[in-house]
Amino acid sequence: INAEYMGIYGDGSQTRSFCYVDDLIDGMLKMMDTEFGFTGPVNIGNPEEFTIKELAEIVIELTGSKSKIIYLPLPNDDPLQRKPDITTASQHLKWQPSVKLREGISKTIEYFRGLDLEKYPKPTNHTAHKNSELESVKSPRI
């Protein structure tokens, strides 16, 4: 939205599955209202996979942003794939996510465009992967 650069760790080929908050809450409510004796565990998520690069490109497209993607070193602990198995949620809760990625991103963009972002401080510098970078210098992967 602000046309700032968008950082991607690695080449962006790692996949993630994104679940819109309305779907997540619906799944949690179904879990709380389930038959007596069923306690889970249950994965609540969206099994549709997208690469991180695809996500960035969709966000740039839907916002109409002029942001550029920059590639950063892939942290040691970054998984290459994340995809929840929602079989138990489908069978026991009769639940599946219904909001597709593009629709969820569009709703999120609309929400943030409605905010006065000047009221909020800018995020702090991202330091979550500093330890991975230091660890790889100390003890390289074998």
Side-chain angles (χ1 to χ4, degrees):
I1 292 176
N2 291 334
E4 296 175 8
Y5 75 86
M6 188 175 297
I8 290 180
Y9 291 101
D11 64 4
S13 63
Q14 60 275 38
T15 64
R16 298 293 183 270
S17 299
F18 302 96
C19 186
Y20 192 67
V21 66
D22 291 357
D23 284 337
L24 179 66
I25 291 169
D26 182 49
M28 292 170 70
L29 290 172
K30 286 186 183 267
M31 181 63 193
M32 289 186 280
D33 195 32
T34 192
E35 72 265 9
F36 180 76
F38 178 71
T39 59
V42 177
N43 284 332
I44 304 291
N46 192 324
E48 255 185 77
E49 284 182 279
F50 294 88
T51 67
I52 294 298
K53 185 175 181 189
E54 285 176 307
L55 174 69
E57 290 169 344
I58 291 169
V59 168
I60 289 170
E61 174 194 335
L62 293 178
T63 59
S65 176
K66 304 252 186 275
S67 293
K68 301 291 182 218
I69 296 172
I70 63 166
Y71 296 90
L72 304 167
L74 184 68
N76 293 341
D77 59 351
D78 194 44
L80 297 179
Q81 179 185 30
R82 290 222 172 141
K83 179 181 177 179
D85 178 352
I86 64 165
T87 303
T88 303
S90 296
Q91 292 173 349
H92 288 276
L93 309 179
K94 308 296 185 242
W95 176 87
Q96 290 197 17
S98 62
V99 178
K100 299 290 185 194
L101 181 66
R102 292 178 79 84
E103 178 187 354
I105 291 174
S106 293
K107 288 180 179 189
T108 303
I109 291 166
E110 184 179 330
Y111 170 79
F112 277 100
R113 284 197 169 136
L115 295 178
D116 180 1
L117 296 177
E118 296 296 321
K119 291 182 177 181
Y120 302 95
K122 290 190 87 141
T124 58
N125 287 336
H126 183 65
T127 59
H129 299 297
K130 291 288 183 202
N131 290 338
S132 288
E133 293 164 9
L134 293 173
E135 184 180 295
S136 67
V137 172
K138 288 184 210 170
S139 56
R141 285 186 162 176
I142 298 174

